[in-house]
Amino acid sequence: MSIKPLIILPDPLLRQVSKPVERVDSDLRKLADDMLETMYDAPGIGLAAIQVGEPLRVLVIDLAKEGEPPAPHVFINPEILESSDQRSVYEEGCLSIPDYYAEVERPAAVRVKYLDRDGKLQEIDAEGLMATCLQHEIDHLNGVLFIDHISKLKRDMVVRKFKKLAKEKAPGKMVG
Ligand code: NI
């Protein structure tokens, strides 16, 4: 397993729509393992493949709390089948938009079908944090970020800030 570099806003890759996985093989399982290691290292609770530069419909989630044994989940080609009318609000963050958090309202529960790490078709009825996390990560597969769900004013401010940071880090510029 290896830790991969994370792609950060405003990298245009984050706006790319990821392609479905055609075959769940050892290469794909290695990608999922690398994603889990990268996510644990960050640390975060969810990660989409595009965030490590792979435009494939793969995401990993682990909602285990500190002190609990790890509970890694791999979702391949996930698809939302149903969303509840009831909505809930969570303060979300994203490993590709470090140190920025905002409240996002989404359906409180979703039914998702996906392939697991063995390529077996599965369905999950998710609610609470799992429902929010799945929707946040599935958004990534469609080039959508959580800041797309907040006001344009706030979003423009965040994007401006990250564009400025990226410029400051650009090669050829000395950063002490
Ligand atoms: Ni994210």
Side-chain angles (χ1 to χ4, degrees):
M1 293 209 282
S2 54
I3 294 167
K4 296 187 170 245
L6 285 163
I7 283 177
I8 306 292
L9 191 74
D11 194 311
L13 264 183
L14 290 170
R15 293 307 189 178
Q16 195 171 318
V17 176
S18 295
K19 291 198 176 66
V21 170
E22 283 175 13
R23 192 151 36 108
V24 181
D25 55 14
S26 57
D27 282 351
L28 202 276
R29 275 187 281 273
K30 179 170 185 322
L31 171 65
D33 289 342
D34 287 348
M35 286 168 62
L36 280 165
E37 198 177 353
T38 304
M39 179 183 79
Y40 290 136
D41 177 69
I45 59 170
L47 187 72
I50 193 68
Q51 293 180 274
V52 293
E54 290 283 347
L56 284 171
R57 303 187 82 81
V58 181
L59 49 96
V60 294
I61 292 176
D62 189 333
L63 302 181
K65 295 191 184 73
E66 225 182 303
E68 289 178 0
H73 292 277
V74 177
F75 298 88
I76 299 160
N77 298 343
E79 212 178 296
I80 295 174
L81 300 175
E82 259 181 78
S83 303
S84 65
D85 293 333
Q86 199 200 330
R87 301 177 69 89
S88 66
V89 176
Y90 266 97
E91 187 172 56
E92 296 188 22
C94 181
L95 293 177
S96 294
I97 313 173
D99 302 322
Y100 181 75
Y101 302 89
E103 286 193 336
V104 176
E105 190 189 302
R106 301 180 186 268
V110 284
R111 172 172 294 164
V112 173
K113 78 165 183 183
Y114 64 99
L115 300 175
D116 66 16
R117 142 180 235 293
D118 299 313
K120 231 177 101 188
L121 186 64
Q122 304 275 6
E123 253 181 58
I124 180 174
D125 280 310
E127 52 177 30
L129 185 54
M130 182 56 106
T132 293
C133 200
L134 272 168
Q135 291 173 81
H136 175 120
E137 301 309 334
I138 290 172
D139 270 356
H140 273 301
L141 306 183
N142 298 320
V144 175
L145 300 170
F146 83 95
I147 52 171
D148 298 338
H149 298 286
I150 63 178
S151 75
K152 187 177 179 322
L153 186 75
K154 282 194 203 163
R155 180 168 58 252
D156 287 349
M157 270 171 54
V158 182
V159 171
R160 243 195 330 269
K161 185 183 141 197
F162 277 84
K163 276 188 179 155
K164 195 167 161 251
L165 283 172
K167 220 180 256 171
E168 284 166 4
K169 278 189 217 144
K173 193 158 187 179
M174 159 65 197
V175 180

